Amino acid sequence: MDENLLWVKKHWNQTADSDWYRSLRTDKRIYELRQDPSVAFHPDVFALLRKYLPDLHNKQILLPSSGDNHAAFAFALMGANVTSADISERQLAHAEQIARQLGLDIRFVCEDTMHLSQITDNTYDLVYTSNGTHTWISQLDAMYRNIHRVLKRDGLSIMYDVHPLQRPFTGEAWQQPTIRKAYDDILPDCHWRVQDLVNAQINAGLMIKELAELPAVNASFWFSYDELIQQEPESLQKLNNWQHNPLAALPSWLSIVSQKI
């Protein structure tokens, strides 16, 4: 494993035990998820999932860079056979403990999303990547080549991440945001453009089925955890309105549905 990946692994092993990630594993959050698995998804992304995979029972689903694993729990609760892959052993250990509590049979694999070397070819009906994945991917073409490899024929890839149009800005929702870099500046933080995300999938042999540009629906999008817990409910309610938050005039999220043909 190269030096950069070792740094990423260390970072996420530490982040797994941060206040923010502990807040995602509370009994209350997990109870809400068990009662309604759709809360693990942006509502428009959940609609896309239902459109393309209306019956998840016994579907084979892979989640590379599975992070907090809320989506993994949700898919399993809806009847899918789930493989959760992440570079962080700590993230996976926490998720495995919750899966046992919920009685879910999820396979957990410590794996680099750009290689998926432990994942077998032509196996999955769906590969789903969620918020934040692409920021940590330095080899986008390699990631999608391997997603193509592990999908079954006609299998689907659905990505959901921060819209690239948000990346040039500092993101301070409580004041006028400022530009920190140009849209075409890929670095720092692997700021992939829409064309990069689309072309990587096309180059891998995936056919784009649908692209959706989505609004923010949760004020937590605009804050770090330390900032979020200091906000008043009234101020949070305004932040998805562009007249109060200029960044809300732009799409906040991007979702792309593609298929192996």
Side-chain angles (χ1 to χ4, degrees):
M1 185 175 293
D2 66 32
E3 185 175 336
N4 181 64
L5 280 177
L6 287 172
W7 181 88
V8 171
K9 179 189 282 284
K10 180 179 179 181
H11 170 84
W12 282 106
N13 278 334
Q14 293 172 343
T15 302
D17 294 311
S18 67
D19 290 342
W20 171 242
Y21 270 80
R22 282 199 294 268
S23 78
L24 300 176
R25 298 193 294 267
T26 63
D27 291 342
K28 180 177 183 294
R29 291 295 295 268
I30 299 305
Y31 174 79
E32 291 171 350
L33 180 60
R34 180 164 54 182
Q35 295 300 112
D36 180 10
S38 72
V39 302
F41 307 96
H42 187 294
D44 292 335
V45 174
F46 189 70
L48 285 173
L49 288 165
R50 283 306 197 194
K51 175 180 177 179
Y52 287 97
L53 284 169
D55 182 9
L56 292 172
H57 187 68
N58 284 334
K59 296 296 184 185
Q60 301 292 330
I61 298 180
L62 170 66
L63 292 94
S65 300
S66 51
D68 61 33
N69 275 271
H70 283 204
F73 304 143
F75 282 126
L77 287 165
M78 291 186 286
N81 298 318
V82 177
T83 299
S84 166
D86 198 276
I87 201 168
S88 165
E89 296 95 342
R90 291 294 296 160
Q91 293 275 53
L92 294 172
H94 289 308
E96 191 166 10
Q97 182 178 7
I98 292 171
R100 285 198 299 268
Q101 292 171 357
L102 295 174
L104 300 175
D105 185 16
I106 297 174
R107 178 191 176 204
F108 293 97
V109 181
C110 189
E111 180 62 272
D112 166 21
T113 295
M114 290 176 284
H115 294 90
L116 302 177
S117 58
Q118 301 175 67
I119 308 300
T120 54
D121 298 0
N122 307 309
T123 299
Y124 292 93
D125 299 288
L126 170 67
V127 176
Y128 176 78
T129 60
S130 191
N131 173 34
T133 295
H134 293 83
T135 304
W136 301 92
I137 301 301
S138 60
Q139 301 171 41
L140 201 60
D141 285 340
M143 169 181 163
Y144 278 103
R145 281 197 304 272
N146 282 294
I147 287 176
H148 180 278
R149 173 180 60 80
V150 304
L151 282 170
K152 296 177 180 177
R153 182 179 177 85
D154 297 326
L156 295 167
S157 165
I158 299 181
M159 63 79 63
Y160 162 69
D161 217 319
V162 174
H163 197 292
L165 287 178
Q166 294 285 338
R167 295 295 189 190
F169 298 94
T170 54
E172 294 130 343
W174 57 93
Q175 63 185 25
Q176 292 292 325
T178 57
I179 296 175
R180 64 189 180 104
K181 62 180 179 179
Y183 180 73
D184 286 336
D185 290 340
I186 301 299
L187 299 174
D189 302 328
C190 295
H191 164 191
W192 301 111
R193 301 161 297 180
V194 174
Q195 69 186 56
D196 301 316
L197 296 168
V198 170
N199 289 335
Q201 297 185 51
I202 293 172
N203 292 339
L206 296 166
M207 179 179 69
I208 304 296
K209 300 282 288 183
E210 188 166 346
L211 185 151
E213 297 175 296
L214 311 174
V217 295
N218 186 326
S220 66
F221 175 84
W222 307 108
F223 294 100
S224 69
Y225 177 70
D226 290 340
E227 294 163 345
L228 182 64
I229 60 177
Q230 298 177 40
Q231 305 305 310
E232 297 295 331
E234 290 183 2
S235 65
L236 291 177
Q237 291 174 5
K238 296 178 179 179
L239 291 182
N240 295 328
N241 182 336
W242 66 267
Q243 293 176 315
H244 297 281
N245 171 15
L247 287 178
L250 297 171
S252 299
W253 303 102
L254 177 70
S255 187
I256 301 174
V257 182
S258 57
Q259 187 173 37
K260 180 176 179 176
I261 54 175

